[in-house]
Amino acid sequence: MDKKKMSLLKKLYHPTNSVFDREYGVSLYNAASLTSQERELLKEMNWMVNRLELIKHDSSVKELVHLRQDGRLYRERILNGFIAGVGGSYPRGLSPLLSYYTMKNIPEHEFVEADRYSACRICSFSKARKDGFWENASYLHYVLYLGNTYGSNPWGALLDLKELAEQHPVKPTKEDIKVFRNLLVSLDRSEPDETPGGFEKRLTAEKIMPKNKYVRRGILNSLAVIGVIPNAFVQTDFNKWTEFEYMVSQEEKLPNTKGRSDMEMPWAGWNGGLKINWDVTKELFGEIERG
């Protein structure tokens, strides 16, 4: 999406341009704040300002599993889009990696409450919302274009991939590939005592990726979920599902993240001595020059 269109969406979805709808429990946005030219551009984009979808646990999981049959969602496309997202030419490509992982691996299941968490033991879907809640899908799609990641749960993955399937595939530029390589090499030269937080600070200082810290963390966690970035407690794999309750339970073993809600497994379980898994990297992304 070009800068003109993104500027339009940022104006449309600015917090000051919203009202909270108590009936649906979502924020709604007003196109009246746009100029006539901007509203015309919105029509050209075929962008609905507020598209509300009712989300339920069981139906979301079933629909997500059904998406496996959609030929527009294939591995090479997802991986290419992710590299382009890391490089900066296509931020929209970041979330689908985790969404695709969820789609391909999540077992079809009904809601099963975790023993220690008010959520589904298998997929993290909130118990309070399992029977249905409304989501403004238009707003979620907007933040996906900013580079945010929502694919770790079935409803986020579903809304992500349904929209992505309607878009054209994207290939990374040479600069995108260079940035992606630099990120991997930076991980590979980590010192044994480096923590996830310490690496994030170093990554900011190295200015490899000009993105905000939450986008960067989404990138790192996605790479950890698929096994490119190892962790000390759970062996993650691009082709294997790890249940939510088991994954979260490992956080209790992490002295560097106790009491911190902003650092989650599996990225939280990395340390500098683990560096990266080059075998997994090669299998998924091809040969990457290590420098």
Side-chain angles (χ1 to χ4, degrees), residues 90-103:
Y90 185 56
R92 176 66 181 88
L94 291 174
S95 186
L97 179 60
L98 200 50
S99 296
Y100 183 83
Y101 162 84
T102 299
M103 176 193 74

Side-chain angles (χ1 to χ4, degrees), residues 131-288:
D131 294 323
F133 70 96
W134 291 93
E135 177 68 36
N136 191 336
S138 297
Y139 177 80
L140 184 138
H141 292 147
Y142 157 66
V143 297
L144 290 177
Y145 276 93
L146 293 177
N148 291 278
T149 301
Y150 278 85
S152 61
N153 60 72
W155 66 266
L158 178 63
L159 294 181
D160 180 0
L161 295 177
K162 284 170 62 178
E163 198 270 349
L164 183 75
E166 300 296 330
Q167 311 305 318
H168 295 295
V170 170
K171 290 188 176 181
T173 66
K174 290 183 178 179
E175 181 60 27
D176 292 329
I177 296 171
K178 178 181 177 181
V179 172
F180 183 64
R181 170 194 171 276
N182 288 343
L183 170 61
L184 299 179
V185 171
S186 183
L187 281 160
D188 197 45
R189 65 168 180 266
S190 299
E191 295 295 330
D193 61 347
E194 190 164 36
T195 65
F199 176 75
E200 289 181 7
K201 292 179 180 178
R202 178 161 64 84
L203 189 59
T204 300
E206 291 176 351
K207 299 181 179 180
I208 292 174
M209 299 181 297
K211 299 178 175 67
N212 70 56
K213 67 177 182 179
Y214 299 109
V215 171
R216 287 197 297 268
R217 184 169 294 167
I219 291 170
L220 295 168
N221 195 60
S222 294
L223 290 173
V225 168
I226 65 173
V228 169
I229 297 179
N231 73 88
F233 302 100
V234 182
Q235 185 175 355
T236 54
D237 190 296
F238 185 68
N239 298 304
K240 181 181 178 182
W241 183 254
T242 302
E243 289 191 354
F244 162 74
E245 185 167 31
Y246 176 72
M247 180 70 78
V248 175
S249 70
Q250 304 307 300
E251 293 179 6
E252 300 172 4
K253 302 176 182 179
L254 303 171
N256 62 316
T257 60
K258 285 183 178 178
R260 292 185 58 184
S261 61
D262 63 336
M263 185 72 73
E264 300 176 349
M265 286 287 291
W267 166 234
W270 176 85
N271 64 67
L274 296 172
K275 300 185 182 294
I276 74 164
N277 189 321
W278 284 109
D279 290 336
V280 173
T281 302
K282 181 178 179 181
E283 195 278 323
L284 294 176
F285 296 101
E287 190 68 56
I288 302 291

Side-chain angles (χ1 to χ4, degrees), residues 5-20 26-34 38 42 47 49-50 136 138-140 142-143 146:
K5 293 176 180 178
M6 279 307 305
S7 179
L8 165 61
L9 294 182
K10 286 180 181 179
K11 179 179 178 180
L12 176 63
Y13 293 112
H14 194 276
T16 60
N17 189 45
S18 68
V19 293
F20 186 76
V26 299
S27 293
L28 301 178
Y29 299 84
N30 190 355
S33 63
L34 306 178
E38 288 171 335
L42 207 61
W47 188 280
V49 177
N50 297 294
N136 191 336
S138 297
Y139 177 80
L140 184 138
Y142 157 66
V143 297
L146 293 177

Side-chain angles (χ1 to χ4, degrees), residues 67-104:
L67 270 184
R68 294 172 185 169
Q69 302 175 30
D70 194 323
R72 297 170 296 178
L73 300 170
Y74 51 93
R75 192 174 96 157
E76 182 182 9
R77 173 188 183 172
I78 300 299
L79 296 175
N80 278 338
F82 183 77
I83 295 174
V86 172
S89 73
Y90 185 56
R92 176 66 181 88
L94 291 174
S95 186
L97 179 60
L98 200 50
S99 296
Y100 183 83
Y101 162 84
T102 299
M103 176 193 74
K104 294 294 288 185

